[in-house]
Amino acid sequence: MAKSDLTKTDNPFTNAMQQLTLAADVLRRTVTRNELPDLERNIALLRQPKRILNVTVPVSMDDGTVRIFDGYRVQYNDARGPYKGGIRYHHQVSLDEVKALSFWMAMKCAVADLPLGGGKGGIIVDPKLLTAGELERMSRGYARAIADCIGPDKDVPAPDVNTNGVIMGWMVNEYINYQKSKIPPLPKLRGTGKNKLTDREELRLRSTFTGKLIRDGGSEGREEATGLGGLFVLQTMLARLGLKGEMTAVVQGFGNVGYNMAKFLSGAGFKVIAVSDSRGAILVPGGINPELTLECKKKNGYLAGCYCSGSVCDLTKGKQITNEELLELPVDILVPAALENVLTKQNAPRVKAKVVLEMANGPTTPDADEILYKRGIPVVPDILSNSGGVTVSAFEWEQNLKGQHWTKAEVNRKLKLRMVSATGAVWDASRRHKIPMRTAAFVTALTRIFAAMK
Ligand code: GLU
């Protein structure tokens, strides 16, 4: 979709600002007359990012031509710490999308109570159309283009849609080489190796990117963290909602987040009866086996036909359905885990799930939010439910800065503590103010951010 095709409700930044407005209205009711001017100033400041970087990345293509890719890094708010957030590769990336995503990152880090602000990056590209070499050169070029504006105490990027640990490895390597090239050549030290970075200094620079592979300084548990964090949030929330017993779930999206979510849900006893990718969905009433389904998808290139239940894949066990049908299945838990604007005013009246757990960023439009709220379907908001990823990113950053490497058990223990506490804070705010959980999550985040902006 080209930028000009965005209608008002498709525009993620318009939607994000509408969410801010709802939370601001609640906050206005909680302050005294004297405090109001400060609150209004802070709300006004949060209506735009602090800095927008627009980059052009020239890439030598395999056929000898040069193509220029457009990209962004938006640094939204750093009141609580360095800007933090992923880098997305997608042909539908737009400045307004990256602005919305960076705003949501600031909110997310505050909900999880991390000492970080919010940022996001993106390149307008369909990475599936690039060769491995082209992908690497584009990634390195982008890292060079933003190198002066990032760093352990400035801005800490990470993976997002269509980016991963390998890409973070290329980027951090490029970034470190760039920083090394800036160390002034001291004639007396030349050849002695003393004008090089020490191991500790290099590890510090490595903390500029998170979501790295372990061999590049990554953290145990980072790849699975968004899914595992989502499970901890869901379990905590279901207990508060008083919902228990055997439950069914569907997951829209089968990338890193969707796959891991399906895996953890199955592992925790939920029956995951449908999953989807960009080409369509599969329904397996007996409950899918996520590992086998992923293996099958890797082999075929798509999910259709991957009807894997128990320990076998068998065509008689499932059928193909559309993405739309998946969203409207009668299940307990609906998990959108792909892109924005999936639940809209068109399909929200037909959603039959008992709870929506948002693992994508921005999957529900404000119109759909209102409809679901009125229908009594709780939406566990993205800035809470998918905050496990950035939480373990923060752990990775901390480990690199301290020169430590924590065990997976330690990482997951700390992750659980954060997720349970963030869920409790959002739940309490929602009860106290009698507001939907999304607005409650924003109220929680904004209170923390505004305290840091004083
Ligand atoms: N891209 C992920 C998100 O949207 C993770 C960001 C990070 O780890 O910084 O939350």
Side-chain angles (χ1 to χ4, degrees):
M1 192 193 305
K3 240 184 286 181
S4 54
D5 294 336
L6 290 176
T7 63
K8 198 164 167 271
T9 51
D10 282 336
N11 186 319
F13 193 61
T14 310
N15 291 348
M17 290 302 102
Q18 211 166 318
Q19 295 166 347
L20 172 61
T21 301
L22 291 175
D25 287 343
V26 176
L27 284 173
R28 282 189 190 101
R29 300 204 298 262
T30 67
V31 295
T32 62
R33 222 187 221 187
N34 286 347
E35 291 165 335
L36 199 57
D38 267 354
L39 178 67
E40 293 300 350
R41 167 186 162 271
N42 287 340
I43 294 167
L45 280 173
L46 268 191
R47 289 205 164 273
Q48 56 279 305
K50 269 183 113 172
R51 188 193 266 163
I52 296 174
L53 260 169
N54 198 334
V55 297
T56 43
V57 184
V59 178
S60 305
M61 306 301 281
D62 286 0
D63 65 5
T65 60
V66 172
R67 262 186 72 186
I68 314 269
F69 292 91
D70 287 315
Y72 308 99
R73 182 76 190 166
V74 177
Q75 300 181 326
Y76 208 96
N77 183 278
D78 64 347
R80 289 172 51 86
Y83 303 103
K84 182 85 194 81
I87 298 164
R88 173 174 296 200
Y89 292 173
H90 200 276
H91 59 283
Q92 286 177 352
V93 160
S94 68
L95 179 56
D96 271 350
E97 183 193 41
V98 183
K99 276 164 69 178
L101 291 165
S102 64
F103 168 76
W104 287 324
M105 282 311 303
M107 299 297 127
K108 194 184 298 188
C109 290
V111 167
D113 207 6
L114 305 171
L116 294 163
K120 198 85 172 198
I123 304 184
I124 307 171
V125 60
D126 181 351
K128 292 186 192 85
L129 304 179
L130 300 184
T131 64
E134 290 164 350
L135 186 69
E136 176 169 353
R137 291 192 288 280
M138 184 186 74
S139 303
R140 288 180 178 276
Y142 177 81
R144 249 191 332 272
I146 63 169
D148 278 326
C149 300
I150 59 175
D153 42 22
K154 271 194 218 166
D155 184 351
V156 182
D160 193 72
V161 172
N162 290 330
T163 51
N164 56 28
V166 173
I167 294 176
M168 292 307 111
W170 294 330
M171 289 195 179
V172 81
N173 177 262
E174 197 66 29
Y175 175 72
I176 290 174
N177 286 343
Y178 175 80
Q179 293 301 333
K180 279 184 184 161
S181 74
K182 292 204 310 190
I183 301 175
L186 298 174
K188 266 199 221 154
L189 297 177
R190 200 171 289 149
T192 64
K194 284 190 180 154
N195 60 340
K196 290 200 184 125
L197 291 172
T198 63
D199 286 353
R200 192 62 196 271
E201 283 162 349
E202 183 163 331
L203 190 56
R204 195 187 125 72
L205 284 184
R206 283 192 174 276
S207 74
T208 304
F209 288 84
T210 61
K212 305 181 292 288
L213 300 180
I214 307 277
R215 60 151 206 247
D216 294 325
S219 174
E220 304 293 339
R222 172 62 186 86
E223 206 177 327
E224 299 172 335
T226 314
L228 185 58
L231 178 69
F232 292 147
V233 171
L234 179 66
Q235 288 173 327
T236 314
M237 204 50 101
L238 290 177
R240 302 277 176 136
L241 289 164
L243 295 171
K244 40 180 184 261
E246 288 224 327
M247 290 195 194
T248 53
V250 296
V251 181
Q252 185 243 351
F254 210 58
N256 172 35
V257 176
Y259 164 68
N260 275 300
M261 197 65 228
K263 189 183 80 181
F264 286 117
L265 282 170
S266 297
F270 293 81
K271 199 203 271 183
V272 180
I273 60 165
V275 292
S276 70
D277 62 10
S278 54
R279 297 210 199 173
I282 55 169
L283 173 66
V284 182
I288 69 155
N289 174 327
E291 285 90 353
L292 283 183
T293 307
L294 180 67
E295 254 175 54
C296 172
K297 178 184 155 91
K298 278 189 181 154
K299 219 170 357 157
N300 295 357
Y302 43 84
L303 276 172
C306 295
Y307 309 131
C308 309
S309 192
S311 55
V312 285
C313 299
D314 180 345
L315 283 180
T316 61
K317 293 196 165 177
K319 65 171 184 170
Q320 213 177 333
I321 57 172
T322 64
N323 240 301
E324 272 305 311
E325 285 168 334
L326 173 141
L327 298 171
E328 297 170 19
L329 284 172
V331 284
D332 295 302
I333 318 289
L334 166 60
V335 186
L339 296 170
E340 301 92 71
N341 300 335
V342 168
L343 297 176
T344 61
K345 70 167 180 250
Q346 277 78 33
N347 60 11
R350 295 193 299 268
V351 166
K352 292 176 198 71
K354 293 203 184 89
V355 176
V356 176
L357 181 78
E358 293 187 328
M359 294 306 292
N361 291 309
T364 312
T365 65
D367 287 340
D369 256 341
E370 209 182 313
I371 296 168
L372 293 171
Y373 188 61
K374 283 193 181 137
R375 293 186 55 214
I377 301 176
V379 177
V380 191
D382 47 5
I383 57 171
L384 169 66
S385 31
N386 72 27
S387 65
V390 71
T391 297
V392 176
S393 270
F395 296 164
E396 180 176 335
W397 175 65
E398 185 181 341
Q399 290 170 78
N400 289 168
L401 289 174
K402 292 182 175 164
Q404 298 176 346
H405 189 79
W406 306 344
T407 62
K408 192 165 177 176
E410 184 68 0
V411 167
N412 289 348
R413 190 185 63 79
K414 288 177 193 258
L415 172 65
K416 186 168 186 178
L417 285 176
R418 293 254 165 201
M419 296 297 98
V420 170
S421 140
T423 309
V426 170
W427 174 264
D428 291 346
S430 138
R431 296 293 113 167
R432 192 171 344 116
H433 300 291
K434 299 188 176 50
I435 49 177
M437 276 186 286
R438 184 182 321 282
T439 310
F442 272 85
V443 166
T444 307
L446 291 170
T447 307
R448 292 174 179 167
I449 292 173
F450 291 166
M453 280 165 74
K454 278 203 174 118

